[in-house]
Amino acid sequence: HVQLVESGGGSVQVGGSLTLSCVASGDTIGRYCMGWFRQIPDREREGVAGIESDGSTSYADSVKGRFTISEDSAKNILYLQMHSLKPEDTGMYYCAADQAACIGTPAVEAVLFFASYGQGTQVTVS
């Protein structure tokens, strides 16, 4: 069972950049389908990006071309690089993992149903 701890959130101006990190322990992330989702106030949770065990990635339309998901298997860390940030990107960002949920479903869609996730890190864009 993998444990996840996010960091890297903060306050940034419109157009700025942030990189979120998710440190995993208890298991190797290479065995998991990984992803990021966000909770924006007064809105439903939204899958932001996902990466499958074969390295394939998927993104929400709202972040395509601006966000990049990647992982460092040696360090057991998942990243989310965010550029050209907009006020509508403001929210709590969560890292999530699951070993089976990506089968037949893009990771960015399946991430909302992943079994393991962290405590979140707040991103504020103004």
Side-chain angles (χ1 to χ4, degrees), residues 9 29 55 86 97 100 104 107 113 120:
I29 61 173
K86 304 175 181 180
F113 308 101

Side-chain angles (χ1 to χ4, degrees), residues 73-91:
S73 297
K75 296 182 178 179
N76 229 26
I77 300 176
L78 181 73
Y79 299 100
L80 184 69
Q81 296 177 287
M82 307 186 293
H83 300 290
S84 303
L85 284 162
K86 304 175 181 180
E88 51 263 43
D89 294 319
T90 294

Side-chain angles (χ1 to χ4, degrees), residues 13-50:
Q13 293 184 337
V14 173
S17 301
L18 282 174
T19 296
L20 306 183
S21 299
C22 172
V23 177
S25 59
D27 207 340
T28 304
I29 61 173
R31 299 177 55 192
Y32 288 77
C33 190
M34 305 290 296
W36 293 90
F37 67 89
R38 63 188 179 188
Q39 179 72 65
I40 297 174
D42 299 324
R43 290 176 57 180
E44 294 185 355
R45 287 183 174 184
E46 176 187 24
V48 175

Side-chain angles (χ1 to χ4, degrees), residues 47-117:
V48 175
I51 183 166
E52 301 181 27
S53 55
D54 64 359
S56 58
T57 58
S58 51
Y59 297 91
D61 288 343
S62 59
V63 306
K64 279 181 181 176
R66 300 189 297 122
F67 290 12
T68 302
I69 188 171
S70 62
E71 61 184 23
D72 185 329
S73 297
K75 296 182 178 179
N76 229 26
I77 300 176
L78 181 73
Y79 299 100
L80 184 69
Q81 296 177 287
M82 307 186 293
H83 300 290
S84 303
L85 284 162
K86 304 175 181 180
E88 51 263 43
D89 294 319
T90 294
M92 188 70 79
Y93 284 70
Y94 298 85
C95 165
D98 198 288
Q99 287 188 292
C102 286
I103 296 175
T105 304
V108 68
E109 297 177 13
V111 66
L112 296 178
F113 308 101
F114 283 7
S116 302
Y117 50 92

